[in-house]
């Protein structure tokens, strides 16, 4: 009888694993919005008993897997998802694209704000060392802001390091304590509370980026993906995004 049980488990286990894989929703995008998408995924799993796996970071880290499994894509800015559509026209279902919530740009400084940075103009002062991410939704972000205060030249002269994505920027911020400030999304502060302080940029000088999502053209779970998108756009989903720094 024992051998019979072992044989039955050996037969059923692969089928169970396949079923689990087929029931899972696979979501892909850049690292910035990872936290709210993961939290919304946990709520969705509790409600519908369907696992949600969110893979986030540089596209090169997940695109091979996405070509096999993808159900939903998200962007850290509208232009990011548009670039993805251009690069992968067979993966992106453009007609399903919707906008979720906006997030504001802000200035991250060291805890305690030792350089007394309270505005964009302060970033142009001599001796300020700025970290810059030239991509990942932040392409041109500081310039859009600096142009409103006539401080482009001063801020440009204080940029001490430029990185291709937020993950590299975070690593540099952690390793090199000489960086004083980083113009990025305010939402990053909520994931880096221990090593940053947020200086908000408000009023007419504020700059925002959107958070678009769209279904994968290859998804075989479109009904479940639409349910997840409905959760993302619901008041409950909005509250989760606000918790992580979106508006």
């Amino acid at each position: 009888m024992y051998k019979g049980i072992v044989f039955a488990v050996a037969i059923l286990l692969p089928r169970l694993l396949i079923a689990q894989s087929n029931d899972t929703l696979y979501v892909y995008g850049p690292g910035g919005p990872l936290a709210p998408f993961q939290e919304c995924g946990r709520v969705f799993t509790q409600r519908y008993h369907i696992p949600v796996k969110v893979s986030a970071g540089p596209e090169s880290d997940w695109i091979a897997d996405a070509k096999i499994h993808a159900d939903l894509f998200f962007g850290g800015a509208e232009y990011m998802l548009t670039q993805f559509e251009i690069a992968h026209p067979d993966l992106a279902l453009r007609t399903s694209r919707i906008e979720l919530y906006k997030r504001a740009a802000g200035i991250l400084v060291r805890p305690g704000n030792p350089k007394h940075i309270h505005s964009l103009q302060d970033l142009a002062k001599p001796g300020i060392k700025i970290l810059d991410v030239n991509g990942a939704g932040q392409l041109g972000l500081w310039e859009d802001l600096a142009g409103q205060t006539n401080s482009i030249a001063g801020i440009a002269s204080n940029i001490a390091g430029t990185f291709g994505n937020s993950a590299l920027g975070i690593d540099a911020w952690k390793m090199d304590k000489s960086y004083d400030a980083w113009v990025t999304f305010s939402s990053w502060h909520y994931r880096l509370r221990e090593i940053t302080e947020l200086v908000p940029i408000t009023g007419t000088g504020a700059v925002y980026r959107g958070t678009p999502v769209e279904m994968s053209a290859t998804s075989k779970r479109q009904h479940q993906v639409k349910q997840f998108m409905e959760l993302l756009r619901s008041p409950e989903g909005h509250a989760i995004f606000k918790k992580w720094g979106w508006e």
Side-chain angles (χ1 to χ4, degrees):
M1 182 174 178
Y2 175 75
K3 290 182 178 179
I5 294 174
V6 172
F7 177 76
V9 170
I11 294 295
L12 290 174
L13 184 58
R15 295 180 182 177
L16 290 171
L17 292 175
I18 291 172
Q20 182 179 16
S21 175
N22 288 341
D23 288 341
T24 299
L25 293 185
Y26 291 87
V27 181
Y28 301 87
L34 173 62
F37 274 94
Q38 282 184 324
E39 187 166 343
C40 286
R42 289 191 290 270
V43 172
F44 186 84
T45 299
Q46 292 172 358
R47 184 165 301 163
Y48 296 104
H49 308 290
I50 299 173
V52 178
K53 180 180 179 182
V54 184
S55 299
E59 183 183 311
S60 58
D61 289 355
W62 49 257
I63 188 60
D65 189 66
K67 289 179 179 179
I68 301 170
H69 297 296
D71 294 301
L72 188 73
F73 298 105
F74 62 87
E78 287 288 338
Y79 83 80
M80 292 183 72
L81 196 56
T82 299
Q83 287 178 336
F84 182 83
E85 292 171 351
I86 294 170
H88 307 284
D90 295 334
L91 274 180
L93 188 60
R94 180 67 179 84
T95 56
S96 69
R97 180 166 169 170
I98 60 172
E99 166 60 18
L100 295 179
Y101 314 107
K102 64 182 181 179
R103 52 180 173 160
I107 306 169
L108 300 189
V109 298
R110 297 291 174 181
N113 197 1
K115 291 296 182 71
H116 306 290
I117 296 168
H118 301 290
S119 67
L120 283 165
Q121 291 91 328
D122 289 339
L123 295 180
K125 293 179 179 178
I128 300 297
K129 186 175 179 180
I130 301 171
L131 183 150
D132 172 45
V133 170
N134 190 27
Q138 298 158 61
L139 187 63
L141 188 63
W142 72 262
E143 190 172 359
D144 289 345
L145 290 159
Q148 300 180 53
T149 58
N150 295 319
S151 52
I152 292 177
I155 290 177
S157 66
N158 283 342
I159 292 177
T162 298
F163 303 90
N165 59 59
S166 298
L168 296 174
I170 291 169
D171 287 342
W173 183 266
K174 290 178 178 179
M175 293 175 60
D176 187 347
K177 301 298 192 297
S178 67
Y179 284 114
D180 301 306
W182 175 10
V183 179
T184 183
F185 298 115
S186 298
S187 58
W188 272 115
H189 166 65
Y190 296 85
R191 289 172 58 184
L192 301 169
R193 289 177 184 270
E194 295 183 358
I195 56 173
T196 67
E197 188 169 308
L198 175 62
V199 178
I201 301 171
T202 58
T204 56
V207 169
Y208 297 87
R209 294 285 189 266
T211 311
V213 295
E214 69 184 16
M215 194 180 302
S216 167
T218 59
S219 175
K220 296 178 175 59
R221 293 165 285 273
Q222 292 194 8
H223 175 69
Q224 291 84 357
V225 179
K226 289 177 181 178
Q227 286 182 311
F228 185 52
M229 293 172 76
E230 289 172 2
L231 171 64
L232 292 172
R233 295 191 74 184
S234 70
E236 184 177 12
H238 192 191
I240 290 172
F241 273 81
K242 290 175 71 175
K243 168 186 170 182
W244 289 101
W246 272 253
E247 294 186 12

